[in-house]
Structures are given as structure tokens and as C-alpha cells.
């Protein structure tokens, strides 16, 4: 393979790390629908959001006009600790698949949080510190976001309270321990430390928790504790803004290599990685400068894009958060117990939901045994053991590459490899033992949870 | 920190990855003592070694004259999958310590094996494949070597049988699962699958195993199975040869930056990382071209350099392997049960032992609670959660930097960060809970195990 002009790994110079985030909403003709006050059903104002979120992050959340937002120097410095992340040409995978397709992946797993989540965690911690806060609260499911936030808070000397979905807390004691090593306190959710937790436990004594429930607890603690605010690792516009660094670096690297992708693929739970990866490419598409096939990949067991409804819904189980317009399965939806890994949120980023609704991207869903087959193949040839979440993108990248093999097309495929699976070995063990199963919710199940969406008249 | 001329991370171009390993023995006036046949006490010949090791690896093991050995193209290709590894300027750590010292570390943890072990694993698997073998056997303690070998064997389609020290097998089910994901079979040692395992279990029914015992089992299986050989992740000269890529890359990067180190620090168990990191620097020292302080750091609970005897000893508990002249605590020595992580081998690389004996390097030992304090501080400021083994080097690098703070000296310190601690969270949990303890073997204990060294007359 020595004569290849494209290297295996392309690292930008530190001087090429973007100094501005890109806000795709500025280029969207149809802006994402605003967050609504759950009581009045009117768009949330910055004032109304301020008990929950940091002021600067609220400004970013509501900013639909500025295409570029400066990255503060302190954040740029922190980014240099673990960025730029490599853009990797998957020569070994191409060879294993015997495909004429050219496959690239942007690998965000080379930091202790194990994923791209650190890109937004450090930004959110920075603004919290700048505002003079004492600490932040959050929820975490698979644990990547909680770990990332713990690292960011430790760096800025902020207190960090993490509500971890109980089933993850119990199944992933090592994730919890990483967070503790970074000084965070980790509470299994639902817990008796909040009113909403007590209520949920009274109603469902045996519950193993859900993301929506952990969000409710974290928000309650933030709004009831002096000097605290709530932060979130996905779904929100601000998160997609920070994560745009993934796409910007990817685009810069591809441009340097003289490569133009045909297909861009990312896994989608709440949309943090996908939204970040695709943003500059989507921007070109919105401005009519280029065209790309963009594919969101979600689990068949939690199919918000492919089987959800585009409507206003609660972001959390406790129904204390603002309403967001998004593709949703209903805030009461919880993926079946056999679902491994993250990507288990009932809704989807408003920005991505609007783009999908407008036909600017595709979505597909895949079953987890197929995902783990792709994960294992990838691990064996590319040498990186991927996170289950990331492996959804691998599955579809492999499938698209195999289609190229049939047709003989030399398409260029870029996918986001969001992280590593070192804390997901329980799921790999199930797969290795042949005990992993799939589950696709029935139409009746989904109709049931979707029937409980709030009734919102969009007359604002 | 923006104006620093030295970047946070220095990645060589792929074209700068070394194409030859460096064999430090070629520059040593006093060569390391030869391996001896345990029965005759005569130097082992290539023929005698061939039932155990691959032919090409035997040639490398016995080669004390060629300074440079070509890296086969297939291995160079594989190296490009995860190399070059970054040389990182520890700006954040320097700031936290408020030291005038300049600290750099070579980080080998950005691959799924989690450590530098892959550098030799892929070489050994390659030569096994080239020889037409069906598979290889090995032992693993903490599990990094076993994981690396699993990855390498999966890549070349070789079978891989790993004997994992029982206590690790039980405490690190996730490591085992990574190996299985790469298709390896993993057996807890001692086991009933070998004669030596049965014998050890009969004599010590409750034993949780040791590296020396797992080596005996792996060697027995290799020598009794058609088409199999035994491979080892440390101690041997061939391993240090392959690991020289760490030092060569480090030196190239430092030269590019115009930086000359004063102190080079590495952790030492069997010597694979330390030997690799220091080799080109030691070469300059041996040739009188430069001088460096070189410091080996070992656990106080397994102090082969600092409290062992420089003598011929068995490499394994079962006494089936060749004798090696090395600093040793006796092949029966097992670190106390509270010892966390690797660096638990009773002996030390013959090459490093000779260099230490000749006064060309220093050695120091550190207690594990102090090691974990340094690990936690490092994780919090540098964003990488280090392996317990690697953290021994961090401890001494921090101590040396703090000495510089006292004296005002602007020394340049380079240390090897061999890997990540994602599979060591049980140890971190103990530390976080304040339950980690130290143990220093008594003089009597060491005298007892050292008294059982074989009597060897060095008249060959």
C-alpha cells in the first residue's frame, strides 16, 4: 500500500484547528422551531431560560443568524490537548471489503472521555466558569457525556453533579469511576435526592431509569441550587454549534487532500455528533455550493427519525423542560431492555429534525446484531474497537461500500467514528457469546407513546 | 499559551516513521549475557531455541552486531494504522506544577491494545505468519500484551492462545472480552490444560497465578502443538528491538523541535517500554555522542533493579525456559496481593540489566499510592487517564520537575506514557475510596526468594 498518495491518517496542524464554530442555522431558510415554554406554549425567552442554562449558552442557543462564532482562547487551548482528531483513510477496511469505494472516518475517540462529547463539554464548562458559577448538573446514559463533562469541570475547577441512568450506573461501574477520578459526584437516577426522582420511584419502584428521567432530576437540582446551572450533551442547538468543530476539521482535511465526499454518514441519538460532522457540508448544500448524500443512522429499537412524529414534545420525562419541535417517539418512550449502548433518546435535535423534514438528509435504522457484526469486522481490520453508538455509522458505511462493489462505483464515503467501546464490553460479551438479540418496537407501541404528545398550536 | 513555538502535540509525517529498528546491543561494549540452556548451562543455540520461538525472531534475539534491522513493509503498513504516536508537550502539567522544567511525553496509548505492546506484537505475529505457523501462545498479566497480540494475530489470520494470570482474568473480564473480540482464546492460568498447570494447581490449589506460571503454560502448549510457537511481550532482546520505534520516533520529533532532553524516564517491568524509549539515546551515550540521565522506575513492591541480584535465573516459574542473566528477585517471587497493575515480573531485560550494571542508567522505586496520586493529577490536567504502569514514570517526572522548581533549573524531561488505564478502574476505585495500600517486601522475603537462584558458572 506504500504508493498511496493519501496518508492513512491526516492530522491538521494545531494552527489549522478552527478558531470559530459554524452555526448551520444561519444558512437554513427554514429555521428550527423555537423552544416553547411548557406552561404558556410561547417561545422561551433568554430570561426564562436563565435559571436553567448559562447566559452565554442561551445566547448561542437562540442565535439563528450568525454563521460563525468565535471560540474563546481558553477553549482553543483545551482543544489542543486532544485535537485535531485524525481523519483516517480506511485502507484496511476497503481491502477487507474488496470495494472500489474510498472510505474515510473522522475519529473522535482519542481522549479519555472516549468520544466527541468533550468538544461541547469544555465549551459549556468554560461559559459556566466565566459566569462565576460554582458548578453544573447533567444526566448521562452510556456515560460518555458524563465523563467528558467531568473532565471539563475538573479542568476549570467547577463542581460537577452527574445523574446517571441507573441501569448504566450498575452495568458500567468503571465509567462511574472515571468520573469520580475527575472529581465528579455520580448519582444513580431515579434517586431520592430530587422531588421528581421520588415521584418516579413511587410510581415505578423497580425502574432502571431513563435519560428523560435523569434530565428531569439534573434540571431540578440545577434550578434549586444556588450557583448551579444545567448542561446537556446533545439535542440542543448550542451542542451542535460546538460539535461543528468535527465537521470543520473534516472539511479542512478533505480539502487539503483534494477529496470531495459523495456520502456522509453519522450515527444519531440526539444528534450531537451527526450535527457537528455534517454542518459545514450541509452549509454548502444549503447555499447551493455543493451536494452530498447525508445519512443519519439510528437504532431500529429507538427510531425517532424513521418512525417518529415531527411535532413539539417534552425533552424530559418529568416534563419540566421546554418543549422542542423534533422527530420524537414521545417523552415516555424507553427502548427495550435488550438495547445496548447509547442512542436511546426519544427525540432528535430540532435543527436536524428540520433539515430532515426539508429533505436535506436521509435517515435509516439498523438492528444491533448487524451493528455489532460491523463493529467486530472494523475492530479486526482497522485496529480500533468502536463504541456501539459509532458502530451504527460503520454498519451503513460498510453497506454503502458493498453496494459500490456491486455497481463498481468509486464513491467516497466519510463517516463519523465518534468513540471507543472500552466501557461497552458487557455488550461485546453478549455479542461474542451469541446472546445479543434485536428488538423493533411494534407500530402499536409507538402509536401509544406518540399519542401522548402535548397538543401545541404553532401560532407564535 | 498561544505564542509557544513548540506545539502541544508533535506528530511525525507517515513518511518519517522509522523503516529500521535500532539494536542497541550493537553499540554496547559489554554485551548482554547470552541465554543459557537450563540443563547444560551452555549458551542456547538457534537450533535449541527453534521449538519455542519463530526462526526470524531467534535471529533477532541472538543478533548483537547489526545496529539497524529493516522493518518489513507489511509491518510498516500496520504501524501506519496507529503510528506515529504523538510526542506531547505537557504544558498543562508544567503549569499545574509551576515548574520551570519542560516536560514532554511520548504517548503510546492511542490504540485499542491501550499500550506500546502492539509495536512488538505485530512484528512477532508477522514473523510467525511468514514462517507458515498456525498460531502462537503467550501469557498476559495486566492484559495489555494479550490484547495487543490478539489484534496482531487477527490481522494476520493466526490463531492466538492467551494464558492470562488468573487474578487478572477474574478482575479484568473486559480485557478478556477485548481479546475474544479479536478472536483469541483466553485461559485463566494456572489451568488444567497443561502438565505444568496441573502440577502447580496440585501444589498450590488456591493460587491466583503469576506471570512466571502463565509463561510456563504457554511455552508448554507451544512446544507440544504442531505449528505453534511461543511469543513474549517483554524482557527479550527482540522485544526491545521492536520497541525501539518508540525511541526513534521520540528522537526524530525532538530533533525536529530542536529540543535536547536532560532526563529520560520510563517505567520498567520487564523493560519493553523503557528499553524501546531509551534505545537511540542510550546509543548516543554508548558512542560518546551525548549524555542523558536515564531513569528506570519500578514498583517498590517488585523492585528487581533496586533490590534484586544481577545473576542468571529462570524466566518462568516452571523452570522450562532458558536462563537469563538479569536483575532478579528470584523466579518464585510474586508481588504482594495489594499490588495493582503490571510491572510484576520477577526479572528484568538482560540488555537493560547490563546497561544498569555498567552505570549507564539509574533506577528508582516508588510506592503505588504515590503513583496513583500522580496519575490522578496527570489525568485531571493533561486529560489522559494513564495506566498504573505508565504512572510510575509520571510520578518520577513530576518529582524531577518539582526539584527544578526548587532549584530554578529549566531541565527538559521526557518520559514514556506507555498506555491508558481504562481497564484498570478497579485500582482507581480503590484509590478513590482511600483503600489503596502500599507494600514493600522485607529484606528477609527477598533474601529467601533470591536464595533459590540456580547456581551457574559463567565459564562459556
Amino acid at each position: 500500500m506504500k504508493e498511496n498518495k493519501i496518508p492513512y491518517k491526516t492530522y491538521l496542524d494545531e494552527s489549522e484547528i478552527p478558531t470559530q464554530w459554524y452555526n448551520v442555522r444561519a444558512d437554513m431558510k427554514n429555521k428550527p422551531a423555537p423552544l416553547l415554554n411548557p406552561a404558556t406554549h410561547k417561545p422561551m425567552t433568554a430570561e426564562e431560560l436563565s435559571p436553567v442554562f448559562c447566559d452565554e449558552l442561551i445566547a448561542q442557543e437562540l442565535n439563528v443568524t450568525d454563521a460563525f462564532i468565535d471560540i474563546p482562547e481558553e477553549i482553543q487551548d483545551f482543544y489542543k490537548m486532544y485535537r485535531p482528531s485524525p481523519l483516517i483513510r480506511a485502507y484496511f477496511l476497503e481491502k477487507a471489503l474488496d470495494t472500489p469505494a474510498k472510505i474515510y472516518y473522522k475519529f473522535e475517540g482519542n481522549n479519555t472521555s472516549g468520544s466527541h462529547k468533550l468538544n461541547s463539554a469544555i465549551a459549556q464548562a468554560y461559559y459556566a466558569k466565566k459566569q462565576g458559577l460554582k458548578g453544573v448538573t447533567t444526566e448521562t446514559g452510556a456515560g460518555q457525556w458524563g465523563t467528558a463533562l467531568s473532565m471539563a469541570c475538573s479542568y476549570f475547577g467547577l463542581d460537577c453533579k452527574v445523574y446517571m441512568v441507573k441501569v448504566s450506573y450498575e452495568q458500567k461501574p468503571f465509567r462511574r469511576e472515571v468520573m469520580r477520578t475527575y472529581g465528579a459526584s455520580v448519582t444513580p437516577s431515579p434517586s431520592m435526592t430530587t422531588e421528581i426522582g421520588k415521584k418516579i420511584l413511587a410510581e415505578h419502584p423497580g425502574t432502571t431509569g431513563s435519560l428523560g428521567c435523569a434530565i428531569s432530576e439534573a434540571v431540578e437540582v440545577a434550578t434549586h441550587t444556588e450557583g448551579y446551572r444545567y448542561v446537556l450533551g446533545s439535542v440542543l442547538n448550542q451542542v451542535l454549534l460546538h460539535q461543528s468543530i468535527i465537521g470543520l476539521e473534516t472539511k479542512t482535511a478533505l480539502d487539503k487532500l483534494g477529496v470531495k465526499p459523495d456520502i456522509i454518514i453519522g450515527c444519531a441519538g440526539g444528534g450531537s455528533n451527526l450535527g457537528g460532522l455534517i454542518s459545514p457540508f450541509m452549509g454548502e448544500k444549503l447555499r447551493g455550493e455543493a451536494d452530498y448524500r447525508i445519512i443519519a443512522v439510528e437504532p431500529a429499537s429507538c427510531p425517532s427519525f424513521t418512525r417518529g412524529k415531527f411535532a413539539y414534545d417534552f425533552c424530559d420525562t418529568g416534563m419540566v423542560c421546554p418543549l422542542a419541535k423534533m422527530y420524537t417517539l414521545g417523552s415516555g418512550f424507553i427502548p427495550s431492555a435488550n438495547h445496548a449502548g447509547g442512542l436511546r433518546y426519544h427525540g432528535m435535535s430540532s435543527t436536524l429534525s428540520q433539515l430532515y423534514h426539508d429533505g436535506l438528509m436521509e435517515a435509516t435504522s439498523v438492528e444491533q446484531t448487524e451493528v455489532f457484526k460491523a463493529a467486530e469486522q472494523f475492530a479486526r481490520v482497522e485496529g480500533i474497537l468502536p463504541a456501539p453508538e459509532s458502530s451504527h455509522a460503520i454498519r451503513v458505511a460498510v453497506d454503502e461500500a458493498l453496494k459500490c462493489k456491486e455497481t463498481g462505483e468509486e464513491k467516497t464515503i466519510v463517516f463519523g467514528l465518534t468513540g471507543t467501546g472500552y466501557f461497552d464490553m458487557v455488550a461485546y460479551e453478549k455479542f461474542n457469546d451469541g446472546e445479543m438479540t434485536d428488538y423493533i418496537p411494534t407500530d402499536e407501541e409507538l402509536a401509544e407513546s406518540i399519542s401522548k404528545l402535548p397538543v401545541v398550536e404553532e401560532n407564535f
Side-chain angles (χ1 to χ4, degrees), chain A residues 260-297:
Chain A
K260 187 181 168 302
D262 298 298
I263 309 174
I264 302 165
I265 300 167
C267 61
S272 67
N273 152 68
L274 180 71
L277 173 67
I278 68 172
S279 62
F281 303 97
M282 184 60 83
E284 289 185 290
K285 205 165 160 165
L286 289 163
R287 296 187 305 271
E289 296 164 7
D291 197 18
Y292 306 98
R293 262 189 82 196
I294 295 176
I295 308 175
V297 189

Side-chain angles (χ1 to χ4, degrees), chain A residues 249-269:
Chain A
E249 279 188 12
T250 302
K251 176 125 183 54
T252 304
L254 288 171
D255 287 349
K256 278 181 79 164
L257 299 173
V259 171
K260 187 181 168 302
D262 298 298
I263 309 174
I264 302 165
I265 300 167
C267 61

Side-chain angles (χ1 to χ4, degrees), chain A residues 323-346:
Chain A
L323 302 174
K325 189 171 180 186
M326 55 187 178
Y327 280 85
T328 178
L329 301 168
S331 65
F333 179 83
I334 296 179
S336 75
N338 71 343
H339 174 92
L343 309 183
R344 46 171 65 242
Y345 188 61
H346 66 275

